[in-house]
Amino acid sequence: MEVSNTPSGGRTARPLILVVDDSPSTIDTLTAFLGTDYRIVAVTDGASALASVAAQPPDLVLLDVVMPGLDGIEVCHRLKADATTRAIPVIFITARDDEESELAAFEAGAVDVIRKPFSHLVVRRRVRTQVALKLFRDHLVRVPVRLGMELHDHQAQLMTGLLFQLDAACHVLGPASDATPVRRYIDRAAELARQCMAQTRQTIRELRETAADDEALAEGIARTLRPFADNTETVLRIRQRGLSVPLDGDARHALCRVAQEAATNAVRHGRATEIDVLVAFDEPGLRLVVRDDGCGFDTARVAGGSGMGLSGMRERMTAVGGRLQIQSQPGRGTCITAEVPL
Ligand SMILES: Nc1ncnc2c1ncn2[C@@H]1O[C@H](COP(=O)(O)OP(=O)(O)OP(=O)(O)O)[C@@H](O)[C@H]1O
Ligand SMILES: [Mg+2]
């Protein structure tokens, strides 16, 4: 069962709280006094809680400990094991008052434990603190990405303009061999501008990598592919199946590069109109599938091209203990599957 005081979709200004409790009266009470400040979604069992978080990630979960089926501790463990949901704060609401169950809640990853019967005012305060911390953390995670974008869109563009002007001045002044003092100053300025550009690029890369560490793989792939998909007519779809598990940096980097090469090939060589990317966290491993509806090719006789892209993908996957499969036929599209064990 799911109860909601807000239409799904379209984020409004009010933060979203997921209440999970098998007692409808507790749900009614919490909704009544939190509903004025927050959007509330309520479910009565653990499995529905996980489904709700996946469909509409909340800013806070208020979680009952004892429930039939998946109990609160298990739900919390699963939320904390998934990189995409780990940052969502969980407050347990429990009728138990022993130290042991309180400790178990904190060990499962809770940020706070509230005992029943509770004071409305105290719950309100505690909820407010945790929601504020969550929103501030969301803001901090976005800072490096924004800084990288600002540097790229403003400083790096201005520097490109500066280099262009300096090159034009060199051209007017004639060959470097006829160096006048003015020409030497301009050459030196151009060299400094080039160094500045290289350093700015390096900083942008580092800022993006900091952000990527905190990001789920499907989001990382989406970010890698977005700039190039924005510039083509090709429709790009990215889906994730299963709960994501944290990946080590090398595997995640390799998978992002495989996705990038496969999608670039699909547009450049396949002239694909649609590219489907699936990130599937299935037992026993993780599969990345990039399927295009382009012209396809004979894998036995790869015609033309450097062939570096396909062999590079294979080498990247082997280096992280995974493997790559290429399926393609002229006229029937291409499907690239990369697998890594988890
Ligand atoms: N999705 C695809 N659709 C159609 N043809 C493809 C596709 N992917 C690869 N090919 C064919 O396989 C060849 C080899 O691809 P590969 O990525 O190895 O090299 P490339 O793209 O030509 O060069 P590079 O990747 O080094 O820039 C391509 O030139 C093309 O003929
Ligand atoms: Mg290629």
Side-chain angles (χ1 to χ4, degrees), residues 289-316:
V289 184
V290 183
R291 190 186 295 276
D292 73 63
D293 67 348
C295 67
F297 65 104
D298 183 352
T299 50
R301 289 185 294 133
V302 176
S306 68
M308 285 279 290
L310 297 177
S311 53
M313 286 192 219
R314 192 160 266 137
E315 280 156 21
R316 280 182 192 281

Side-chain angles (χ1 to χ4, degrees), residues 4-17 38-41 55-59:
S4 166
N5 73 341
T6 174
S8 57
R11 194 180 165 104
T12 69
R14 284 187 302 158
L16 179 68
I17 295 182
Y38 305 96
R39 292 176 297 142
I40 310 281
V41 170
Q56 200 183 3
D59 296 303

